[in-house]
Amino acid sequence: MSKKYDTLNSAERDKIIEYCSVKFLKDGFYYVTVDQIASELRMSKKTIYKYFSTKDELVEAVAIKMMEDVSTRIEEIITSENDSLTKALMLFEVMAGVVVRFSENWLKDLQIHTPKLWKKIDEFRTKRAFTALGSIIKQGQSEGIIIDKPAELIIHIFVNTVRSVVHPDFLYHQKFNYKEAFIHSFEILFNGILTPKGRKIFDKIFSKVIK
């Protein structure tokens, strides 16, 4: 098999995933058919089934691509030369940027129709958040920006608070959206762990984020 053929196949597969990423995150996937996807992409169902034997497999591919993209962006933040607070707010922007793309239909479909995949996504974001925040908080403590309390406890509080606040069941009964929930959560949490020096830096940087 030639490299040119492999490239064409890869481009075709990527096109399907990219299209479905937008569609699924906006509308959910349960009521979307492969016929509909094929028609909107102007390709045959056979072509789609060449890469994905079932719709569930396609949904999983969309989720995996999303997790890989987020992981790459988080790694770039952690390894950058920025101070810890700038890294934390950059992490916030990445997380908020991802979450605001999620429709209630997408989240509900994952929970109800693909519970194993939902668990995989939930475990990924928890593990990735623990790793990223752990690195940032320890750096912040060494910089004198974050208070000298057990890093593991701070991380646990952060991760579990954000997870519960941006959960669909919680937001369904509130008057603010995903991004607003992130903004309020991070502002409350950070103001609780910053030193006076860190609070001054935070106020200056965060005022730009919420505009």
Side-chain angles (χ1 to χ4, degrees):
M1 187 178 293
S2 69
K3 290 184 178 180
K4 183 177 180 180
Y5 182 81
D6 288 341
T7 301
L8 289 172
N9 272 357
S10 178
E12 198 169 48
R13 184 178 186 277
D14 290 345
K15 180 181 178 181
I16 296 169
I17 293 175
E18 289 296 333
Y19 177 80
C20 288
S21 294
V22 175
K23 189 165 190 66
F24 291 169
L25 266 60
K26 179 183 176 183
D27 302 325
F29 58 84
Y30 186 67
Y31 292 106
V32 178
T33 66
V34 176
D35 282 310
Q36 185 179 351
I37 295 168
S39 175
E40 293 174 2
L41 279 172
R42 297 183 178 181
M43 63 174 56
S44 67
K45 285 173 59 178
K46 184 178 179 181
T47 300
I48 295 175
Y49 284 126
K50 180 170 68 174
Y51 303 106
F52 310 100
S53 57
T54 64
K55 191 178 77 172
D56 282 351
E57 194 174 303
L58 176 53
V59 172
E60 184 173 7
V62 167
I64 289 172
K65 177 67 164 54
M66 178 185 64
M67 288 187 284
E68 289 175 346
D69 289 345
V70 169
S71 186
T72 297
R73 292 165 69 188
I74 290 176
E75 187 63 28
E76 289 171 353
I77 292 169
I78 294 174
T79 57
S80 71
E81 298 297 325
N82 293 306
D83 62 77
S84 59
L85 198 48
T86 299
K87 287 182 180 180
L89 291 172
M90 289 171 69
L91 179 64
F92 151 74
E93 289 182 316
V94 169
M95 294 171 69
V98 171
V99 169
V100 294
R101 294 171 58 203
F102 292 173
S103 67
E104 184 180 330
N105 289 336
W106 162 251
L107 293 170
K108 288 293 186 183
D109 282 352
L110 283 171
Q111 291 175 293
I112 295 170
H113 304 293
T114 57
K116 288 184 179 179
L117 180 57
W118 169 252
K119 184 179 178 181
K120 184 176 182 179
I121 294 171
D122 193 45
E123 289 175 347
F124 162 80
R125 65 179 183 173
T126 301
K127 182 178 179 180
R128 202 67 188 89
F130 264 98
T131 302
L133 282 170
S135 172
I136 291 170
I137 287 169
K138 288 174 183 177
Q139 179 185 338
Q141 289 176 328
S142 69
E143 293 169 341
I145 291 175
I146 294 175
I147 58 175
D148 187 21
K149 297 293 181 181
E152 293 76 13
L153 179 59
I154 295 173
I155 297 164
H156 185 80
I157 292 170
F158 261 68
V159 172
N160 284 284
T161 298
V162 173
R163 282 182 66 195
S164 63
V165 167
V166 300
H167 194 281
D169 291 339
F170 172 78
L171 291 175
Y172 181 77
H173 299 287
Q174 308 305 316
K175 295 181 180 179
F176 41 76
N177 58 35
Y178 288 103
K179 186 171 183 179
E180 289 170 334
F182 260 113
I183 289 173
H184 295 318
S185 298
F186 268 71
E187 187 172 16
I188 292 167
L189 291 167
F190 269 108
N191 274 301
I193 66 167
L194 295 174
T195 62
K197 173 186 174 182
R199 196 167 289 114
K200 288 180 180 178
I201 299 171
F202 178 84
D203 290 341
K204 184 178 179 180
I205 299 175
F206 198 74
S207 62
K208 298 177 182 178
V209 175
I210 62 176
K211 286 182 179 178

